[in-house]
């Protein structure tokens, strides 16, 4: 077996080149994090100003009708709590449409018993809850289930939530406010709070994902200020129903239907000379089941990585295209850079082994670079977490907790992401896309 240090030396040829490239990556990542922080702060202040202006106007705004669509497949265990969280909202949705995707467990039987559903027929109504509907269909995937639910809906806005996702109090009221405040809004992304079983392994995964989700929400809030959003929370997102109809609904063949549809929406709007308005609503908050075991985590992230690569390849004509403004020139160019970003920690490790035989001066240079990178990372992490706590009103994250997560991530979370990305990319390129 060839030693890792020899491999790294062969890859980088010259240590000086490696140090220069590392410095470029550190600067790029720091500037990107700083830009996200500033844009997210601007977005939060903008939302506060908009809400204050709406109160000062003291005139009623048109409140859209809202239907909740819940795609479900073998969700007999988790669906009751999800439904309870929806039916207890104030105000109530116009309809709650459960789209059963050919479940093989007792989902249908338990729903019929608990909510007095009518017998027979494709669309069944509840006798105890007049707004509740069950749409029974053959297994066709989540995207197909959502599309059929949208076809049944007659509301102006559809809120799509996973069957293992519970709305927190005030979520629908916040969604109403978002669409009333901005009548030409296309979509709204919710705030996901990951939940895992209270086992040692579950707590470990919950801790990592809690901080990961917090960073992701700030990322989305930041890009939404430039009308350049490319991703929403798949477990909780709302669309203007006509927008979905205009672009043909979700793609049932996509691994990441919630991701692909925003690419398609952005392209549709910009090809017609319009802005694509996708916002983040912090108060549209949900608790959702998150992976709590290594196997489940790897399968989920494999799908995310493979779907990300698939979507980027499909919409490659938008990358670096000035026709799409900031979205094409910055966001999509950055996405292309991140295709291989999961390999950077591995490259750093291998090259560091190669440096062990180098003169002390170069080792000191590497150490100084690592120290600067770490200090900048800690500073930006602290500022970002403080902003997240204020903008999203969440106290379940803290700066000390974030520092612990950052310290442990290279030994646990990064290796798992490395494996899942390799698996996902291989599956995507070989067209082996199974769940």
């Amino acid at each position: 077996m060839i030693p890792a240090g020899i491999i790294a030396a062969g890859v980088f040829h010259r240590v000086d080149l490696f140090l220069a490239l590392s410095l470029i990556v550190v600067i790029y990542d720091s500037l990107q994090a700083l830009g996200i922080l500033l844009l997210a702060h601007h977005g939060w202040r903008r939302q506060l100003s908009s809400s204050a202006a709406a109160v000062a106007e003291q005139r009623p705004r048109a409140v859209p009708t809202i239907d909740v669509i819940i795609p479900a497949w073998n969700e007999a265990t988790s669906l009751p709590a999800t439904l309870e969280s929806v039916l207890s909202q104030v105000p109530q949705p116009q309809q709650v449409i459960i789209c059963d995707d050919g479940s093989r467990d007792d989902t249908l039987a338990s729903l019929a018993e608990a909510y007095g559903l009518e017998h027979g027929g494709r669309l069944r109504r509840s006798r105890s809850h007049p707004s509740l509907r069950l749409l029974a269909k053959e297994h066709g995937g989540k995207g197909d289930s959502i599309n059929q639910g949208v076809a049944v809906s007659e509301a102006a806005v559809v809120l799509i939530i996973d069957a293992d996702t519970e709305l927190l109090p005030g979520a629908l009221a916040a969604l109403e406010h978002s669409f009333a405040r901005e009548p030409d809004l296309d979509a709204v992304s919710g705030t996901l709070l990951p939940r895992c079983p209270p086992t040692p392994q579950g707590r470990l995964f919950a801790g990592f994902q809690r901080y990961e989700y917090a960073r992701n929400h700030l990322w989305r809030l930041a890009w939404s200020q430039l009308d350049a959003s490319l991703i929403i929370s798949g477990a909780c997102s709302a669309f203007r129903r006509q927008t979905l109809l205009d672009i043909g609904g979700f793609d049932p063949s996509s691994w990441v239907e919630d991701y692909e549809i925003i690419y398609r929406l952005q392209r549709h709007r910009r090809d017609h000379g319009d802005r694509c308005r996708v916002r983040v609503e912090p108060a549209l908050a949900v608790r959702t089941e998150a992976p709590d075991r290594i196997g489940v985590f790897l399968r989920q992230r494999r799908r995310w990585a493979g779907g990300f690569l698939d979507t980027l390849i499909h919409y490659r004509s938008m990358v670096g295209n000035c026709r799409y403004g900031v979205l094409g020139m910055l966001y999509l160019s950055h996405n292309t850079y991140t295709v291989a970003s999961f390999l950077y920690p591995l490259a750093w490790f291998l090259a560091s082994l190669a440096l062990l035989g180098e003169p002390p001066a170069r080792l000191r240079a590497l150490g100084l670079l690592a120290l600067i990178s770490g200090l900048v990372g800690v500073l930006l992490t602290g500022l970002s977490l403080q902003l997240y706590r204020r903008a999203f009103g969440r106290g379940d994250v803290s700066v000390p907790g974030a520092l612990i997560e950052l310290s442990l991530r290279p030994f646990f979370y990064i290796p798992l992401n490395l494996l899942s990305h390799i698996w996902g990319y291989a599956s995507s390129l070989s067209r082996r896309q199974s769940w």
Side-chain angles (χ1 to χ4, degrees):
M1 181 179 292
I2 302 175
I6 296 178
I7 296 175
V11 170
F12 292 108
H13 298 294
R14 289 183 57 84
V15 176
D16 293 338
L17 176 60
F18 165 69
L19 290 174
L21 291 176
S22 298
L23 182 60
I24 292 173
V25 171
V26 168
I27 293 173
Y28 175 85
D29 288 346
S30 299
L31 289 177
Q32 173 211 216
L34 180 60
I36 293 300
L37 178 63
L38 294 176
L39 281 172
H41 183 268
H42 172 72
W44 171 54
R45 301 299 302 180
R46 179 180 175 183
Q47 286 184 337
L48 290 179
S49 299
S50 178
S51 298
V55 172
E57 284 181 9
Q58 295 185 341
R59 60 187 178 90
R61 296 190 179 191
V63 177
T65 53
I66 298 175
D67 282 351
V68 176
I69 297 176
I70 308 174
W73 184 59
N74 295 339
E75 297 285 0
T77 302
S78 56
L79 192 52
T82 298
L83 271 177
E84 182 62 29
S85 74
V86 173
L87 295 174
S88 62
Q89 289 290 308
V90 179
Q92 277 282 287
Q94 179 174 277
Q95 288 188 106
V96 181
I97 305 170
I98 304 170
C99 301
D100 182 77
D101 193 34
S103 293
R104 297 176 181 176
D105 62 358
D106 59 350
T107 296
L108 295 180
S110 60
L111 284 174
E113 180 181 355
Y115 296 98
L117 295 175
E118 298 172 347
H119 295 287
R122 183 167 176 269
L123 184 63
R124 308 178 194 179
R125 299 173 183 271
S126 168
R127 298 186 184 94
S128 58
H129 293 80
S131 64
L132 182 60
R133 308 282 188 272
L134 171 65
L135 177 63
K137 57 182 284 292
E138 294 182 356
H139 184 60
K142 182 179 177 181
D144 179 66
S145 297
I146 296 172
N147 290 340
Q148 295 202 32
V150 171
V152 170
S153 170
E154 296 179 351
V157 172
V158 290
L159 171 62
I160 304 161
I161 62 172
D162 285 350
D164 59 359
T165 299
E166 298 174 25
L167 290 176
L168 296 189
L172 277 187
L175 184 61
E176 273 192 355
H177 178 67
S178 292
F179 278 94
R181 182 181 61 216
E182 201 169 348
D184 53 358
L185 204 56
D186 285 306
V188 171
S189 180
T191 303
L192 267 58
L193 307 175
R195 175 181 57 197
C196 294
T199 62
Q201 188 173 227
R203 291 190 181 96
L204 178 65
F205 273 97
F208 280 107
Q209 291 174 97
R210 187 181 304 120
Y211 289 95
E212 179 187 35
Y213 281 30
R215 290 188 293 268
N216 289 344
H217 291 320
L218 285 178
W219 175 271
R220 296 168 192 174
L221 178 59
W223 285 105
S224 69
Q225 303 313 300
L226 303 174
D227 290 325
S229 296
L230 269 182
I231 188 169
I232 56 174
S233 299
C236 175
S237 56
F239 291 83
R240 193 168 297 281
R241 181 171 173 270
Q242 189 58 50
T243 295
L244 290 179
L245 296 176
D246 289 343
I247 61 176
F250 286 80
D251 180 3
S253 67
S254 175
W255 246 2
V256 283
E257 73 290 324
D258 52 324
Y259 186 50
E260 187 277 337
I261 198 168
I262 301 299
Y263 270 77
R264 186 151 33 94
L265 175 57
Q266 284 280 9
R267 186 175 67 178
H268 173 82
R269 284 286 184 237
R270 291 167 186 271
D271 286 351
H272 287 79
D274 298 328
R275 295 167 58 195
C276 179
R277 294 173 174 85
V278 178
R279 300 287 180 257
V280 175
E281 175 50 68
L284 177 58
V286 299
R287 294 200 181 277
T288 186
E289 294 294 334
D292 64 315
R293 299 186 303 278
I294 290 178
V296 178
F297 179 87
L298 288 176
R299 286 193 295 273
Q300 182 199 63
R301 299 310 169 98
R302 168 225 182 192
R303 179 175 64 85
W304 287 5
F308 166 76
L309 183 61
D310 265 357
T311 306
L312 188 60
I313 291 174
H314 183 76
Y315 291 95
R316 60 188 180 277
S317 63
M318 298 170 64
V319 178
N321 191 334
C322 60
R323 178 181 182 183
Y324 297 98
V326 172
L327 174 69
M329 299 299 293
L330 289 183
Y331 197 159
L332 284 169
S333 296
H334 169 79
N335 273 8
T336 304
Y337 158 81
T338 60
V339 166
S341 63
F342 71 98
L343 287 173
Y344 300 156
L346 178 62
W348 180 279
F349 172 73
L350 294 176
S352 298
L353 293 180
L355 280 170
L356 293 178
E358 290 297 315
R362 288 199 174 100
L363 289 178
R364 287 195 295 271
L366 179 64
L368 180 60
L369 180 62
L371 177 62
I372 293 174
S373 175
L375 291 176
V376 171
V378 168
L379 175 61
L380 292 176
T381 295
L383 293 174
S384 297
L385 263 294
Q386 291 293 347
L387 175 60
Y388 175 78
R389 288 166 61 92
R390 296 175 68 187
F392 288 80
R394 301 295 158 196
D396 54 349
V397 294
S398 66
V399 174
L403 296 181
I404 294 174
E405 188 263 346
L406 280 174
S407 301
L408 296 178
R409 196 192 309 169
F411 307 101
F412 180 73
Y413 216 59
I414 288 179
L416 288 182
N417 273 304
L418 171 66
L419 291 174
S420 63
H421 274 77
I422 293 174
W423 188 13
Y425 288 175
S427 299
S428 171
L429 296 175
S430 64
R431 312 309 299 172
R432 294 179 181 175
Q433 296 188 1
S434 64
W435 285 59

